[in-house]
Amino acid sequence: MAAGDDECTASVGEITISPVKVQRLPHLTHYLPNLKTFPNPLDRNQFYRPSDGFYISPCDVILRQITYDLSGIFPLPPSHLAYHRAGPRKQIFFDPSMIRVAIVTCGGLCPGLNTVIRELVVGLWELYGVRQIYGIIAGYRGFYSFEPMALNPKLVEDWHKRGGSVLETSRGGFDLEKIVNSIKDHEFDQVYVIGGDGTMRGAVTIFDEICRQKLNVSIAGIPKTVDNDISIIDRSFGFQTAVEMAQQAISAAHVEAESAVNGIGLVKLMGRSTGHIALHATLSSRDVDCCLIPENEFYLEGKGGLFEFLEQRLKQNGHAVLVVAEGAGQDMIPRSDAQKKETDESGNPVFLDIGRWLKSELKSWWDRDHPGELVTIKYIDPMYMVRAVPANATDNLYCTLLAHSAIHGVMAGYTGFVSGPINGNYAYIPIAEVANAKNPVNTMDHKWAWVRSVNNQPDFIKR
Ligand code: ATP
Ligand code: MG
């Protein structure tokens, strides 16, 4: 594999490793040996001493799959997928003194958004000497609705200590033509897009249009999903902070349940299509009697159902704690025709409140089967509290590494990519792959089995 060529495959013994191609500027050309590039300014940075191995070469890749069954029972894949490793390149595509950069956040809030913005600004400014850095206000619509906000390290100094997004965020407002025109009018050379699955699909569309118009503008995505529902990368930023906050809500529910006769604590946690937060908070808190997630259907009445299980737990312990992910049991809640059609500004279906519905079903069941007996159901919905907190230490560090990885890639001319950790190493992945990759909880693997062994909850399989 020749240095500078991002497309080659390499064979090591019988193994063929094929790096997933990430587009590079200038558009629609391969890496050109005579392309005008610039030496990386880190060479001149007083704090760095680039030595052998400091710069990442295009030959440096990370394998997607790192566990293999060598028993021979399952055939090994003929070719092993790999991604280009993130990090500074010796030669860069952009002249840092000339470029203009835009940063935008879209979708819902997530702990760490401000850290990513801060580190993009500080990294671009301090590592590469970029001086024209702008924040796009209030999501995609901000490209054509508001004047960009000039950003510098002094301004963003303490942003990592704040929850939310100082740049503000929004749903809807995706107008491709206006967005691309704004990028051209403001002469942005680099656009960093921070957001969830919808935002990443929007970024793919912008990237495709930028390619079609052959503009030398790099589009980089930094995937944000507090639910951890994006695949390929190890985990998304904000997730660990969310699990920590979720645990606090579970503790409160436990205290409430313990302090009442037949006390039931019910906590709704984030997770529209995946139950990772509910699962991790359940495993780490140990106070949860039953964890309900979208990937595992459940039912209320009859043998093996939730009511029968709660009946036993209340008899044994006098209290019980239930955790439910917001996307669980959505099919069980009766919906009016209007509710069936309801969508948010971005076109996502509106979820009904599973926690409120479950609380009312639990109350009806108890009053029906235990007339005159006391019950206390305390419903805690910490969703907005969880989303709005600043990132914890682990997520803060993670956001920093994500932002810096993205900067190094963009400066080297990569475009249409997302930076993220794969098996512990940071890599560049085409945005389109990440935008479409789901990450459901695998209810067949050991983690879900572990939940069931910790709390002995029903499997909800009707027999
Ligand atoms: P969250 O994790 O909060 O759901 P998200 O990025 O998925 O984050 P959305 O509200 O779905 O949040 O989308 C954010 C932005 O992306 C909106 O401006 C929306 O219009 C735009 N968007 C969503 N889906 C697409 C798509 N398929 N094509 C273009 N733009 C999209
Ligand atoms: Mg989304």
Side-chain angles (χ1 to χ4, degrees):
M1 183 162 170
D5 190 343
D6 293 45
E7 292 183 78
C8 293
T9 54
S11 292
V12 185
E14 290 177 4
I15 300 175
T16 303
I17 298 171
S18 330
V20 174
K21 191 183 172 207
V22 178
Q23 282 272 4
R24 283 183 88 159
L25 298 173
H27 272 298
L28 309 177
T29 63
H30 300 306
Y31 185 89
L32 303 171
N34 56 354
L35 176 73
K36 180 169 166 39
T37 56
F38 303 85
N40 196 314
L42 288 173
D43 281 340
R44 288 177 275 117
N45 189 308
Q46 57 171 321
F47 300 108
Y48 288 83
R49 291 205 194 139
S51 55
D52 286 354
F54 176 82
Y55 290 115
I56 307 292
S57 94
C59 307
D60 220 329
V61 296
I62 296 158
L63 284 183
R64 168 124 177 223
Q65 189 181 339
I66 54 169
T67 55
Y68 291 97
D69 182 337
L70 300 178
S71 66
I73 298 170
F74 304 101
L76 289 178
S79 169
H80 298 249
L81 266 191
Y83 293 92
H84 289 287
R85 220 178 119 202
R89 271 41 179 179
K90 195 161 176 49
Q91 289 294 117
I92 59 172
F93 176 80
F94 290 102
D95 176 354
S97 66
M98 302 296 288
I99 57 170
R100 292 168 60 82
V101 174
I103 302 168
V104 63
T105 56
C106 314
L109 295 186
C110 172
L113 273 174
N114 281 328
T115 311
V116 176
I117 301 166
R118 180 197 193 276
E119 287 309 320
L120 286 173
V121 175
V122 175
L124 283 160
W125 190 286
E126 304 289 356
L127 300 178
Y128 284 93
V130 179
R131 292 292 178 265
Q132 301 180 80
I133 309 169
Y134 296 89
I136 304 299
I137 306 298
Y140 279 134
R141 57 164 51 79
F143 273 106
Y144 54 87
S145 308
F146 304 104
E147 265 313 298
M149 175 186 189
L151 302 172
N152 60 61
K154 188 88 197 110
L155 185 73
V156 302
E157 196 174 34
D158 65 350
W159 285 17
H160 61 297
K161 296 180 183 165
R162 301 199 215 165
S165 167
V166 180
L167 293 182
E168 300 176 358
T169 179
S170 72
R171 296 194 188 276
F174 186 87
D175 185 322
L176 181 63
E177 198 183 334
K178 286 186 182 170
I179 292 169
V180 174
N181 283 343
S182 163
I183 292 172
K184 289 196 284 191
D185 292 346
H186 287 100
E187 296 180 347
F188 290 132
D189 303 279
Q190 305 183 351
V191 178
Y192 294 86
V193 183
I194 313 161
D197 54 340
T199 307
M200 291 304 132
R201 282 193 287 275
V204 171
T205 316
I206 297 171
F207 169 65
D208 288 344
E209 183 57 21
I210 296 273
C211 287
R212 201 186 62 77
Q213 296 192 27
K214 296 193 176 150
L215 304 173
N216 276 331
V217 178
S218 175
I219 308 289
I222 299 176
K224 169 232 70 159
T225 148
V226 74
D227 299 349
N228 201 30
D229 57 1
I230 287 186
S231 180
I232 306 179
I233 62 171
D234 295 346
R235 65 167 206 280
S236 50
F237 74 80
F239 173 67
Q240 293 202 336
T241 309
V243 171
E244 213 169 285
M245 290 303 292
Q247 261 199 86
Q248 292 180 20
I250 293 170
S251 288
H254 187 231
V255 169
E256 291 284 353
E258 266 191 325
S259 311
V261 177
N262 292 320
I264 300 176
L266 172 60
V267 182
K268 182 178 79 173
L269 294 175
M270 279 173 295
R272 290 162 72 91
S273 57
T274 64
H276 291 287
I277 295 180
L279 166 70
H280 282 79
T282 295
L283 282 175
S284 44
S285 95
R286 317 285 161 106
D287 285 335
V288 178
D289 289 275
C290 190
C291 173
L292 305 168
I293 58 171
E295 294 87 342
N296 199 52
E297 282 184 18
F298 67 97
Y299 57 93
L300 304 179
E301 305 270 3
K303 187 131 194 62
L306 183 66
F307 293 159
E308 183 195 68
F309 172 72
L310 282 177
E311 177 99 44
Q312 288 163 6
R313 279 293 149 100
L314 290 174
K315 206 177 277 174
Q316 279 165 7
N317 303 336
H319 68 274
V321 175
L322 278 179
V323 160
V324 61
E326 61 180 321
Q330 285 293 315
D331 295 343
M332 296 162 77
I333 313 174
R335 279 173 190 254
S336 64
D337 284 345
Q339 280 172 329
K340 278 181 200 157
K341 289 186 202 137
E342 220 181 331
T343 55
D344 68 14
E345 284 157 308
S346 294
N348 304 307
V350 170
F351 279 47
L352 297 184
D353 189 340
I354 180 71
R356 198 177 290 276
W357 176 80
L358 208 47
K359 179 181 176 183
S360 131
E361 292 297 304
L362 288 168
K363 184 82 176 69
S364 309
W365 155 67
W366 188 266
D367 291 346
R368 183 192 70 202
D369 288 8
H370 303 271
E373 281 185 55
L374 277 179
V375 72
T376 302
I377 306 168
K378 285 285 177 350
Y379 171 40
I380 298 180
D381 177 356
M383 283 229 312
Y384 289 104
M385 223 179 83
V386 171
R387 285 167 27 135
V389 294
N392 68 10
T394 315
D395 270 327
N396 253 326
L397 178 59
Y398 178 35
C399 290
T400 306
L401 295 172
L402 276 178
H404 288 198
S405 304
I407 294 172
H408 292 313
V410 169
M411 292 306 298
Y414 285 104
T415 181
F417 75 96
V418 149
S419 68
I422 297 177
N423 301 316
N425 288 287
Y426 286 74
Y428 299 139
I429 310 153
I431 299 188
E433 268 196 35
V434 174
N436 297 314
K438 304 266 179 258
N439 182 31
V441 169
N442 180 359
T443 52
M444 304 302 282
D445 85 349
H446 64 277
K447 244 195 241 165
W448 185 246
W450 194 9
V451 168
R452 296 209 42 245
S453 73
V454 165
N455 60 18
N456 205 15
Q457 72 178 61
D459 58 11
F460 297 111
I461 295 171
K462 279 194 173 146
R463 294 180 174 85

